[in-house]
Every structure is written in structure tokens, then in C-alpha cells.
Amino acid sequence: MKFVGRPPICLAHGSDLSIPSGATDRVVAFVNGLVNADYDVHLVVPKPEATLPDGMEGVYVHTVNSMERGVANQITRATRLSLKAKKIVNNTGGLLQIEHSTLAGFASVMGCSDYILDMHDLCYTDPLYLNLPFSRYVQRCIYKIERRAVENASKIIVVSGPMQKFLTDEWGVPEDKIEVIPSGFFASKISDSISQSQVDPNIISRVGSLFVHLDIDAIIALAESLQATGVKILLVGGGVAENELRVKVKKQNLENVVIRGWVPHDEALRIMQSSLVTFESIRDTMTTRLASPIKVLNYAALGKPIVLSDVSELGMVFKENDAALVSDPSNIEQFVENVHLLLNDADLRNRLGNNALNLVHGYSWEKQGEKLAKILDDMN
């Protein structure tokens, strides 16, 4: 459908926006970018447990009652969200954008088509589903749902070049149907007061979800290597890997690992900035190879020295630009060694931090929101 001016747009998102996450940041950034481009924006989300994040001004927020979190209730949540979004699009005559391929697959079953699919990740390969009853059947179902989501989309937005290549090479999606918008950071939230906070030489940190791809063994090995140094590892965030991590920390009697759980965004930024070194350690999976890790961009935007155990496209960009020490997840010893190198070399910390800060300017969420608005403009 062609419009005079910009059409209204409805974004459907399946997660609680009041819980900090990379997906939350991406949705908020896209909503802001569209509002700033004079789109009428409707947002359909589960009823939040807490306060919605900043940046919802000028957005028509529609909520649906949400069941408990968990795989077993995803179908119910997806159905409710899909039907609500479909109704809004039918009433407004606007565009539909669906966040995540699994939600889009369910929406297509509910009769939605020709939507914009924002594909954050590839779910059918996710280890989260490996320990479920009939896991092979579950993964096969998710694969079919994601394929259906892709086939019924008029435009697909992905987070990385490797994800675009996967869709083109493996699923036969035409290149002109796919656009790449990587992850970003909120430049407006990196204030002078935060960036000038004092650095604690005895703190290194990881800020972000303790998700299923977290390399817990690498963190344990790092903690063991630091026991005699007085340096503490501060982990900010929660998630499905938190219990396993706590059990292993307790079993190894590692008093230098502090698990903070979720904290407000400004406090998370202060923790990052006050850390001598920041890091990420993830396992090598199909999902992590196609990802675009947001926490790395936040580290860089604060000019922090970074150690990565990572195989993503973004990790390779940082490595090629001398903006982080990057190791393969299969080499835990090198990851640990890289952390020690940074802890003991101020010149190296300064060089990597400055290079990271220079590299990250083009990755702000503000710019990524503008890219989405431009893509939608070109579609009309």
C-alpha cells in the first residue's frame, strides 16, 4: 500500500521492555528513530513488570497480559501479541514490523504477512532448547517457524553480515530483501559525568545478560588466576546461566567473583567506566557467530580497554582495528592471558581504549534508528 507521507507503523515485540536487555535497547532505539522521523508509532508488548524505559514519548504503547516467562508459554504470548498487532495494522492501514523471527513465525500463522522482520538472532540453533523434553522435535518446530517468518516477510533486517550471508546462502533469501543494521549504544546516555568517574584498579567487569552462550568455564579460570592479585570480577546482569555460575563460584570458593544482578542503566554505565578492564567471554555457537554483541559497543563508547573471547563479526572488527584483545573461545588460556596483559600494561590499556572509542562512533543507536527510518522511507 502506498501512502501520502509516512504511514503509521506498528512494532510487535515479545519481551518485557521493563527488563534491561540488548533486545530492549534495539526496540527503544528503533521506536525513537521512527518517532523522530515523524512516523506514528504503535508498540505492542507484554504488560511490563516494572516501569517502561525512557524514550517512549510520542509512542502509542499497547500491552497484552503475559503469562509466566518460559518456553512453554511462548506460544500463548506470541498469539496474543500477534492478534493485537494485526488488529492495529488493520485499523490504521499501516506497516507491521515484528521483532524476532519466532514471534514473526507465529504472527504469520495468525494471518500476518508482508511485514518487516527485525531478526535479532537465529533461534533454532540456540542451546536453550537442548535440555527440553523432545528437544530435537522442539528445535525442528522452531526451525520451521523461523523459515515461515522469513518467507512471509517483505523486508528482513539483520544484525550482521554473517547473518545476511546465512539467509542468502542457506535459505535462499534474495539479497535485496535483506538490510543490515548492527547493534548500537545510546550516545545520549554516555554523559560527561559518567565518563569522568574514577577508575578502580582492582575491578574488571562484564555487564550484560548471563545468557545460555556465556562461557562460564572461562570466567572461572579467570577468577582462579586472579585470586592472589586482589582483583575482583564484577558481573552485572541476570539470566538463565546465573544459577550455574553461582554454583560453580561457590564450589571453587571464589570470593573474587561478585554477581550483582540487574542494575539501572546509569549505574551499569558507571560500573563499566570505573572498571580497569571490561570483557566478554562467550562460547562458539551458530548463534554467537551471527550476533552483534551490544555490551562491547557500550565498553567502547566509554573508551574502556576490552578483552573478548568471541567469534562474531563485531569482535573481528575490533581485532582488526586494534581496539580489543580478541581470542577464540576454544582458547581459554589465551583469554585469561589477555586479561592479565591489560591489567599489567597501562600503555596497552590506553591504546586499545582510544582505538575502541574512535571505532565506535558510527554505531550509536541514534544512527541505527535513522537507518531504519530511511529503509522504511525507501519502501514507500
Side-chain angles (χ1 to χ4, degrees):
M1 180 183 294
K2 294 291 184 180
F3 292 84
V4 177
R6 292 181 169 89
I9 181 167
C10 177
L11 275 73
H13 177 55
S15 300
D16 186 341
L17 274 188
S18 69
I19 298 176
S21 70
T24 292
D25 287 350
R26 189 171 179 88
V27 171
V28 171
F30 282 173
V31 164
N32 287 338
L34 294 173
V35 169
N36 290 338
D38 295 325
Y39 280 88
D40 285 335
V41 180
H42 296 259
L43 179 62
V44 180
V45 291
K47 187 175 181 180
E49 292 185 0
T51 305
L52 289 173
D54 295 337
M56 294 294 104
E57 297 81 6
V59 181
Y60 302 100
V61 179
H62 309 264
T63 62
V64 300
N65 291 329
S66 178
M67 307 285 287
E68 294 181 9
R69 297 189 205 98
V71 175
N73 293 312
Q74 287 180 0
I75 295 176
T76 302
R77 293 196 302 274
T79 300
R80 292 177 178 177
L81 291 163
S82 300
L83 292 175
K84 172 73 80 171
K86 181 181 178 183
K87 182 178 180 180
I88 292 170
V89 170
N90 287 341
N91 289 340
T92 62
L95 302 172
L96 173 61
Q97 177 167 318
I98 304 177
E99 304 297 316
H100 289 294
S101 50
T102 48
L103 177 57
F106 283 112
S108 70
V109 175
M110 298 294 106
C112 298
S113 62
D114 295 328
Y115 45 77
I116 301 143
L117 168 59
D118 182 27
M119 200 166 177
H120 299 212
D121 48 31
L122 193 66
C123 295
Y124 84 91
T125 62
D126 200 315
L128 175 65
Y129 303 107
L130 291 179
N131 296 323
L132 295 174
F134 310 105
S135 60
R136 291 181 63 183
Y137 174 77
V138 171
Q139 286 190 303
R140 184 62 182 171
C141 287
I142 295 171
Y143 172 84
K144 290 183 177 180
I145 288 169
E146 290 192 285
R147 287 297 300 264
R148 183 183 180 107
V150 167
E151 290 165 0
N152 283 276
S154 60
K155 179 69 71 174
I156 302 169
I157 300 167
V158 297
V159 299
S160 70
M163 185 178 287
Q164 180 185 37
K165 190 174 188 304
F166 173 87
L167 291 180
T168 300
D169 293 352
E170 301 298 327
W171 287 3
V173 180
E175 288 188 10
D176 60 1
K177 188 177 178 178
I178 308 173
E179 301 283 351
V180 179
I181 302 182
S183 297
F185 69 95
F186 285 112
S188 57
K189 294 184 179 181
I190 309 292
S191 66
D192 290 340
S193 60
I194 293 173
S195 63
Q196 294 174 5
S197 61
Q198 187 173 359
V199 174
D200 187 333
N202 292 316
I203 293 292
I204 65 175
S205 68
R206 178 192 184 273
V207 178
S209 299
L210 301 176
F211 57 176
V212 69
H213 306 285
L214 182 68
D215 192 339
I216 293 176
D217 291 339
I219 294 176
I220 296 299
L222 177 60
E224 289 174 339
S225 75
L226 293 171
Q227 284 190 99
T229 67
V231 174
K232 290 187 176 182
I233 301 172
L234 188 54
L235 304 173
V236 178
V240 296
E242 181 175 349
N243 184 63
E244 180 184 353
L245 179 61
R246 288 186 182 277
V247 168
K248 289 191 174 183
V249 166
K250 184 176 181 180
K251 182 178 180 180
Q252 300 299 119
N253 195 29
L254 295 171
E255 297 182 355
N256 59 339
V257 178
V258 179
I259 304 173
R260 283 288 306 273
W262 294 115
V263 302
H265 193 274
D266 287 348
E267 184 176 352
L269 289 175
R270 284 192 290 271
I271 289 170
M272 285 184 255
Q273 180 56 33
S274 64
S275 303
L276 187 64
V277 172
T278 57
F279 73 92
E280 172 64 309
S281 59
I282 56 176
R283 295 185 292 112
D284 184 357
T285 69
M286 174 74 79
T287 301
T288 56
R289 285 184 175 275
L290 304 184
S292 179
I294 293 174
K295 61 181 66 61
V296 176
L297 298 172
N298 281 318
Y299 299 159
L302 290 165
K304 302 307 299 180
I306 304 167
V307 176
L308 300 177
S309 174
D310 182 23
V311 290
S312 70
E313 178 184 49
L314 189 59
M316 295 307 103
V317 169
F318 272 73
K319 182 177 182 178
E320 292 166 2
N321 287 273
D322 193 31
L325 296 182
V326 183
S327 61
D328 190 283
S330 64
N331 193 340
I332 291 179
E333 289 184 1
Q334 186 180 8
F335 166 71
V336 172
E337 180 182 343
N338 283 343
V339 174
H340 283 268
L341 281 174
L342 274 185
L343 288 174
N344 296 319
D345 191 332
D347 290 339
L348 180 60
R349 291 197 303 271
N350 290 334
R351 188 182 84 224
L352 293 182
N354 289 332
N355 289 345
L357 183 59
N358 292 331
L359 174 65
V360 81
H361 286 310
Y363 286 90
S364 75
W365 274 130
E366 290 81 358
K367 291 183 183 297
Q368 310 303 44
E370 292 173 1
K371 290 178 184 176
L372 175 61
K374 177 64 166 56
I375 289 170
L376 297 191
D377 287 346
D378 291 343
M379 291 174 63
N380 295 298

